[in-house]
Amino acid sequence: MTQKEFLDSVAARNPSQPEFLQAVQEVVESVWDVYQANPRFQKANILSRIVEPEALHTFRVSWVNDRGDVEVNSGYRIQFNSALGPYKGGLRFHPSVNMSILKFLGFEQIFKNSLTTLPMGGGKGGSDFNAKGRSDNEIMRFCQAFMTELFRYIGPDTDVPAGDIGVGGREIGYMFGQYKKITREFSGVLTGKGLEWGGSLVRPEATGFGATYFAEAMLKTKGQSFAGKTVAMSGFGNVAWGAVIKVNQLGGRVVTLSGPDGYVYDPEGITGAKVDYMLDMRASNNDRVEDYATKFGVKFVPGKRPWEVKCDVAMPCATQNELDENDARTLVKNGCICVTEGANMPTTLEATHVLLDAKVLFAPGKASNAGGVATSGLEMSQNSMRLRWSAEEVDQRLHQIMLRIHDACVEYGKGPDGFVNYVKGANVAGFLRVANAMLDQGVV
Ligand code: NDP
Ligand code: 2IT
């Protein structure tokens, strides 16, 4: 079978799932040669098995809003691959959520979790719930209704969900409370828990810290660092917040943030109270960054993305497909040397090719944003031991894991000219561990 025939067959089996097919295509393009060179993988039909989720759960979530009206949402949990450990991956609450988006995220999660080298399989879930304008009580009731269905499918040794877009510490708390009430068990069934009840220090910051450590390692391959660098960032949520903190610590200056309404340009840099204000914006359920511009008297550019701003490093930290081919060309033209994904698949396939052709340092999210799930893995370890590590210990382990992922990408992605294709490196390194584990475990 040719690569095209294989991709066509996946497309035929998964109609109307463009994001999922995009994620599959990127991985298949990278691993095809390695796969063809290994008859054992082919005999076990690993590639066809790896693109098929082990289980898909969908359920109705009915709940009552503050006006007393009954509302209905769709709930999902995708258990994609358990070759390396219990299913592990976040829950996304956003009106755009559908099967295609969750399957792309669950698929990416398999390889990301593999890259961490921690014992975690891949999964993802969520709901099309829209938190915009909801009261705290409504969010609690929704989370409880969601968990009343989800609890049947998860468990600390089966499937361990965490946060993603629209799911942070508050939502994890409400879901954990409901799980505990239903099952009468206090366990490590979710990660991203509060620090006083089983959470890990540094988990809130981990994705952004990890992405910044990864970017620093990439810059180092060119003898450079964040010191004095201008950074364009998108999003204003959990990942962007952690990345802003770490870029500041490493001497860089973040000059943009974005939301669905547009982007803010703050040439002085996002520091001090402005960083704390990001948490207020995320908690306001307001869906906009314009508030930041109003509060701090900086420029707001409605309806646009931040990639038109001149920068040395770009860190897309909002959502999928938010950096397209034109944006990539603009970044290259403006002298950007490094693009590190904090979000999952924020760069389109076409934009990825533009950046790689221009020899820009480009890190795919499955490598550079793996710090979040890696620290979730460390939270699971602490829960199992019933111990808590210090912030320094967690941060040090996180840093080491990110450097190891960077090394794995270099090992499998370095070309004859010395240029590192991190996309290829991450996909091949992530794939090999999963494929070998699947071989060992037989046809299941
Ligand atoms: P948050 O909910 O904390 O923040 C998401 C941010 O993206 C918000 O600023 C959100 O605004 C914005 N956003 C959502 N949709 C759009 C859009 N269409 N255009 C512009 N901005 C948008 O989520 P996270 O920070 O946790 O997640 C951000 C990205 O990082 C996602 O791709 C997620 O999958 C990925 N990620 C998250 C990890 C984690 O541990 N949290 C780990 C690894 C990756 P609003 O919500 O108001 O629409
Ligand atoms: O995309 C991701 O890696 C996450 N949302 C974090 C998953 C996790 O289980 O911590």
Side-chain angles (χ1 to χ4, degrees):
M1 201 189 257
T2 65
Q3 189 185 129
K4 181 168 182 313
E5 282 165 352
F6 177 77
L7 289 172
D8 286 347
S9 75
V10 180
R13 286 169 69 86
N14 299 277
S16 312
Q17 298 192 353
E19 292 86 0
F20 174 55
L21 296 175
Q22 181 183 342
V24 169
Q25 184 179 339
E26 189 216 89
V27 171
V28 170
E29 279 178 1
S30 295
V31 304
W32 190 257
D33 291 348
V34 172
Y35 189 73
Q36 293 304 320
N38 190 323
R40 292 182 71 213
F41 289 165
Q42 290 173 57
K43 185 153 190 302
N45 208 359
I46 295 290
L47 215 45
S48 299
R49 284 161 63 202
I50 217 166
V51 297
E52 191 70 30
E54 290 175 13
L56 297 174
H57 303 289
T58 65
F59 44 89
R60 185 184 71 192
V61 186
S62 311
W63 59 286
V64 181
N65 69 21
D66 285 349
R67 293 188 308 274
D69 305 329
V70 176
E71 297 206 28
V72 183
N73 288 100
S74 304
Y76 308 85
R77 185 68 186 169
I78 300 183
Q79 300 182 323
F80 223 117
N81 192 294
S82 61
L84 295 180
Y87 306 107
K88 182 81 196 88
L91 296 170
R92 176 176 291 192
F93 292 170
H94 197 271
S96 63
V97 160
N98 58 34
M99 196 58 104
S100 172
I101 288 181
L102 293 182
K103 277 176 70 179
F104 116 63
L105 289 163
F107 184 69
E108 292 272 295
Q109 200 80 43
I110 305 171
F111 307 102
K112 183 194 308 196
N113 294 5
S114 166
L115 284 167
T116 69
T117 69
L118 299 175
M120 301 183 291
K124 200 83 187 190
S127 174
D128 58 358
F129 173 69
N130 189 353
K132 189 174 176 183
R134 302 294 190 177
S135 71
D136 197 60
N137 270 330
E138 289 180 311
I139 287 181
M140 180 178 75
R141 284 199 298 278
F142 175 79
C143 288
Q144 291 172 340
F146 182 80
M147 184 51 86
T148 303
E149 294 302 323
L150 180 69
F151 89 96
R152 308 169 207 288
Y153 309 115
I154 61 175
D157 295 314
T158 310
D159 184 351
V160 183
D164 193 80
I165 290 181
V167 179
R170 172 181 55 181
E171 293 78 13
I172 292 289
Y174 293 145
M175 287 191 274
F176 184 81
Q178 185 72 353
Y179 181 87
K180 181 166 61 96
K181 179 164 173 145
I182 297 172
T183 61
R184 301 173 60 245
E185 272 176 23
F186 193 111
S187 71
V189 66
L190 297 172
T191 59
K193 298 185 291 298
L195 293 181
E196 304 305 331
W197 42 278
S200 175
L201 287 157
V202 189
R203 176 62 187 90
E205 296 87 348
T207 312
F209 276 23
T212 312
Y213 290 143
F214 197 96
E216 180 86 348
M218 295 167 88
L219 290 169
K220 202 169 159 201
T221 65
K222 301 267 177 211
Q224 304 208 32
S225 75
F226 265 108
K229 294 272 185 309
T230 299
V231 180
M233 193 170 303
S234 64
F236 62 89
N238 172 262
V239 177
W241 168 75
V244 169
I245 294 173
K246 189 51 76 180
V247 170
N248 286 341
Q249 284 174 9
L250 295 177
R253 191 157 41 118
V254 181
V255 295
T256 66
L257 292 176
S258 75
D261 53 335
Y263 76 89
V264 292
Y265 177 54
D266 188 348
E268 303 280 298
I270 296 156
T271 54
K274 296 171 174 175
V275 183
D276 298 336
Y277 186 69
M278 291 173 73
L279 295 176
D280 297 341
M281 282 196 294
R282 169 70 179 77
S284 72
N285 308 333
N286 203 3
D287 225 12
R288 35 188 266 180
V289 284
E290 188 175 3
D291 299 350
Y292 178 104
T294 311
K295 183 163 171 72
F296 297 109
V298 300
K299 188 168 148 193
F300 173 66
V301 184
K304 289 218 158 169
R305 299 160 172 162
W307 316 126
E308 60 190 23
V309 170
K310 190 170 161 47
C311 64
D312 305 304
V313 179
M315 297 183 75
C317 294
T319 193
Q320 65 275 356
N321 292 330
E322 53 156 328
L323 196 163
D324 66 17
E325 197 175 347
N326 280 336
D327 298 324
R329 288 193 204 290
T330 307
L331 285 169
V332 172
K333 185 166 64 74
N334 283 341
C336 173
I337 58 165
C338 176
V339 178
T340 304
E341 293 188 340
N344 284 310
M345 210 171 73
T347 311
T348 64
L349 271 176
E350 296 76 19
T352 299
H353 291 143
V354 169
L355 296 172
L356 292 178
D357 289 348
K359 306 278 178 198
V360 170
L361 296 166
F362 172 68
K366 63 169 76 70
S368 46
N369 73 31
V373 75
T375 309
S376 281
L378 300 178
E379 184 170 326
M380 290 166 75
S381 305
Q382 294 169 80
N383 292 164
S384 297
M385 292 191 295
R386 301 194 190 280
L387 285 176
R388 196 165 107 179
W389 292 329
S390 66
E392 292 69 34
E393 173 144 19
V394 179
D395 192 25
Q396 201 182 11
R397 285 175 187 268
L398 165 65
H399 199 162
Q400 275 168 3
I401 290 170
M402 296 315 297
L403 295 182
R404 275 209 311 264
I405 298 175
H406 182 268
D407 289 349
C409 291
V410 173
E411 183 182 342
Y412 290 101
K414 196 171 194 164
D417 61 352
F419 177 70
V420 180
N421 181 335
Y422 289 86
V423 177
K424 178 165 185 222
N427 285 329
V428 172
F431 173 79
L432 284 176
R433 286 190 76 230
V434 183
N436 285 321
M438 288 174 73
L439 274 187
D440 291 346
Q441 292 169 24
V443 180
V444 287

